[in-house]
Amino acid sequence: MSRILFPRLSRRAVLGTGAAFATSLAMPAISRAQSRPVFGHGVQSGDPTATTGMVWTRPDRASRVMLEVATTESFENARQIASLDALPDSDFAIKALLTDLPADQRIFYRFTAADLSDINSVSEPVIGQFRTAPSEKRNICFVWSGDTAGQGYGINEDGMRSYATMSQHEPDFMIHSGDTIYADGPMAEEQEFEGGVWKNAVLTDEVRKVAETLDEYRGRYKYNMLDEHLRAFNAMTPVYYQWDDHEVTNNWSPGKDLSGDDRYTEKSIALLSARGGRAFHEMTPISYTPAEPGRVFRKMSYGPSLDIFFLDLRSYRPANNDGMQDSITPEAIVLGQRQLAWIKEALKASTATWKVIACDMPISIIVWDNFAEAAGVEAIANGDDGAAKGRELEFADLLRFIRDENIANTVWLTADVHYTAANHYSPDRAQFQEFEPFWEFVSGPLHAGTFGPNAMDMTFGPKVEFVKAPEEGQVNLPPSAGLQFFGIVDIDGQTEQMTVRLMDVGNTELWSTTLDPQTA
């Protein structure tokens, strides 16, 4: 049993008019020494479509969990959907796919747990809600960002305030662009930074060291859900999840060598990534792909105005290298042949007005595996500024395909680099010129150290139209410095114009642009 330190956190309104509802749903007491089951980590929903949605919860013990669904907050028309067993082999986490739902409808769901060792010991219910995707055009609002609880910055007295700020906008959904946890980032009671000390008011045993065991990976997700703002957000807002490197370890790839990292007693990256992947799928409401249950790349439709294509730049790459290959060899891939073929066909088949490509790493922002030596391509760009090489080749192939197939209105959303930016790409500025102009918007971190800005690779002709990052010479600024970022996307139901806003934790609009839809 993990030892948990709990502060006296002040209760605050995090959802405006919905605060009382969300707080009462997502804030039960957390103690295993209860006479009946407790849902200490709240609820989550994810991957909503017009007729389905995944829901998640976790009681604190082996339980028979009843799931009910309604279209009214009072649950007057509730129907029992399932009886689910929360068992130790999944750390008591359970999730279920709700089907046959009405389109564009607020769905309320309720879990109640009965202790399997004493079936008459029944929990208080825990409730969440989400809205299904529309079948007709309407206004759409969603948020995106990444990077939660990194660099040792955990839950302090204020909690993870970015989630409270996002909640104020009552988004239809969120895209979490990866680094949902920091499995490789130990936490302590105090985390020093230049000019001060960050104090973690909540700690568990699982976050005091790097995650190696399955329980330690699970514990990272459970730790994040001890935050009141995150639980309240999850109770109200469905999330489409991606993953990146920190769900396993920093800059991981199937070829990563941990032999020189003394923090790890388990040196097998294959075993660590398997444990990290299982924890990611157990502890988030990401949907299943029967042919490949651990798959992250997928397409989700949100009405006639929007399709979202989620990429996975982590699972199919080889070990990081110099990225200077002249052809798409096994050393040059980052998407992989199957994923690249999938997104081409999915984009070509899409009838949605806007095609948002959710990419967990930016295209032309240079990210090194070893920043001190500017060595090893960790993202896509190789810093060469010339013709496409290495991992750039797959993206050149994809961008050429989008142009040749006349696929209109593609917008790229990403995170990873711990600052926010708006990058416009044009062949007029590029070395590789076989593509149509497009935008890439970058956001994050949600609750982690702030870095950047990074240098840009000019192969695809990016122009930084806006950037917000620490001042020169400042690195790893804490969340209390205010440089925590998320983005908001609004699609007008009538004009189908897309407005993108880059925001900070204080809810300040830093920059925005409105894009007109183009006809293919």
Side-chain angles (χ1 to χ4, degrees):
M1 181 58 58
S2 297
R3 180 170 57 90
I4 302 177
L5 297 176
F6 283 97
R8 294 183 178 179
L9 293 178
S10 60
R11 297 290 291 268
R12 53 183 57 81
V14 296
L15 293 181
T17 57
F21 173 73
T23 303
S24 66
L25 303 185
M27 296 285 294
I30 304 173
S31 173
R32 178 61 180 88
Q34 300 280 335
S35 60
R36 52 184 181 168
V38 172
F39 293 102
H41 298 93
V43 293
Q44 301 181 74
S45 63
D47 283 12
T49 71
T51 60
T52 65
M54 189 72 75
V55 294
W56 178 100
T57 194
R58 180 186 178 276
D60 65 342
R61 67 196 70 181
S63 304
R64 176 78 35 87
V65 180
M66 301 299 173
L67 170 60
E68 300 170 279
V69 174
T71 55
T72 60
E73 185 177 337
S74 66
F75 280 84
E76 290 181 359
N77 62 343
R79 58 191 176 102
Q80 184 172 320
I81 297 297
S83 175
L84 307 165
D85 289 330
L87 297 172
D89 62 351
S90 65
D91 196 25
F92 312 126
I94 57 173
K95 59 184 184 181
L97 180 65
L98 306 183
T99 60
D100 301 319
L101 302 176
D104 203 15
Q105 172 67 52
R106 182 67 57 181
I107 302 297
F108 299 85
Y109 59 97
R110 179 167 63 192
F111 292 103
T112 307
D115 192 328
L116 284 176
S117 63
D118 179 6
I119 205 69
N120 294 315
S121 177
V122 180
S123 73
E124 292 292 330
V126 62
I127 303 171
Q129 61 171 280
F130 66 92
R131 188 177 183 179
T132 53
S135 57
E136 299 180 353
K137 294 178 181 179
R138 67 156 166 86
N139 293 345
I140 296 171
C141 174
F142 68 92
V143 296
W144 95 93
S145 189
D147 317 307
T148 300
Q151 288 70 54
Y153 298 119
I155 304 168
N156 72 343
E157 290 185 349
D158 292 330
M160 299 181 184
R161 293 194 298 118
S162 292
Y163 285 94
T165 306
M166 290 190 298
S167 294
Q168 295 176 24
H169 296 273
E170 299 183 359
D172 289 307
F173 60 86
M174 177 194 179
I175 297 174
H176 198 305
S177 302
D179 292 341
T180 53
I181 60 168
Y182 278 71
D184 58 306
M187 295 184 190
E189 282 79 3
E190 294 186 348
Q191 170 73 19
E192 293 186 1
F193 60 90
E194 186 175 352
V197 176
W198 174 274
K199 296 184 178 181
N200 287 315
V202 179
L203 288 174
T204 63
D205 287 346
E206 292 94 337
V207 303
R208 292 180 180 274
K209 63 179 291 293
V210 296
E212 298 178 86
T213 68
L214 179 56
D215 281 342
E216 287 167 348
Y217 280 108
R218 290 164 169 165
R220 288 283 172 166
Y221 294 92
K222 291 187 290 183
Y223 174 82
N224 289 356
M225 287 182 278
L226 296 179
D227 180 73
E228 58 178 340
H229 304 312
L230 178 52
R231 287 201 309 276
F233 182 85
N234 285 345
M236 301 289 287
T237 311
V239 180
Y240 297 103
Y241 280 96
Q242 290 176 275
W243 76 339
D244 193 26
D245 58 331
H246 292 285
E247 286 83 357
V248 178
T249 190
N250 185 47
N251 297 351
W252 85 270
S253 68
K256 187 176 180 67
D257 180 9
L258 289 174
S259 61
D261 193 332
D262 293 338
R263 301 176 304 164
Y264 287 89
T265 58
E266 176 54 66
K267 302 296 185 179
S268 170
I269 192 65
L271 184 54
L272 293 175
S273 61
R275 291 168 176 168
R278 176 169 171 177
F280 172 74
H281 282 270
E282 284 180 340
M283 294 294 172
T284 67
I286 186 173
S287 52
Y288 294 108
T289 302
E292 186 182 358
R295 197 169 100 179
V296 175
F297 72 83
R298 64 204 188 279
K299 175 198 136 181
M300 305 299 297
S301 294
Y302 203 84
S305 295
L306 177 63
D307 280 347
I308 311 169
F309 305 84
F310 296 90
L311 297 183
D312 177 2
L313 273 61
R314 192 55 54 182
S315 300
Y316 309 106
R317 64 170 67 190
N320 292 338
N321 54 66
D322 64 5
M324 296 300 291
Q325 295 82 14
D326 291 321
S327 61
I328 304 178
T329 64
E331 292 74 29
I333 65 171
V334 68
L335 292 169
Q337 183 178 10
R338 187 161 59 93
Q339 184 176 192
L340 182 58
W342 162 81
I343 191 171
K344 286 180 179 180
E345 291 306 309
L347 284 168
K348 185 177 179 179
S350 174
T351 60
T353 303
W354 292 101
K355 293 90 173 171
V356 165
I357 302 174
C359 190
D360 46 291
M361 303 193 80
I363 297 172
S364 291
I365 296 175
I366 301 171
V367 184
W368 298 116
D369 197 344
N370 184 337
F371 266 98
E373 299 179 6
V377 174
E378 161 61 6
I380 299 159
N382 58 23
D384 180 59
D385 290 332
K389 294 181 180 179
R391 293 172 182 170
E392 295 168 341
L393 290 167
E394 287 184 319
F395 280 78
D397 187 19
L398 177 57
L399 293 175
R400 182 192 299 114
F401 177 86
I402 291 170
R403 184 202 66 177
D404 291 350
E405 295 295 331
N406 200 24
I407 298 169
N409 307 318
T410 59
V411 173
W412 294 68
L413 301 182
T414 188
D416 179 67
V417 290
H418 294 229
Y419 64 90
T420 190
N423 301 324
H424 184 262
Y425 290 77
S426 173
D428 295 339
R429 299 184 293 264
Q431 293 296 312
F432 175 84
Q433 298 180 321
E434 300 173 54
F435 67 96
E436 293 296 323
F438 66 94
W439 283 93
E440 173 192 67
F441 300 105
V442 185
S443 198
L446 281 163
H447 189 83
T450 314
F451 297 86
N454 296 11
M456 304 292 290
D457 184 300
M458 294 306 298
T459 295
F460 298 112
K463 180 182 179 183
V464 180
E465 295 288 354
F466 174 82
V467 64
K468 181 73 172 180
E471 298 293 332
E472 186 175 355
Q474 295 183 323
V475 295
N476 198 15
L477 296 185
S480 53
L483 298 180
Q484 307 289 289
F485 305 112
F486 65 96
I488 304 175
V489 177
D490 289 288
I491 299 175
D492 187 279
Q494 294 184 331
T495 67
E496 292 196 285
Q497 288 180 316
M498 174 185 284
T499 299
V500 181
R501 293 178 282 163
L502 302 180
M503 311 290 292
D504 69 13
V505 64
N507 212 27
T508 301
E509 183 179 307
L510 305 172
W511 183 88
S512 70
T513 190
T514 298
L515 309 178
D516 294 318
Q518 305 298 312
T519 302

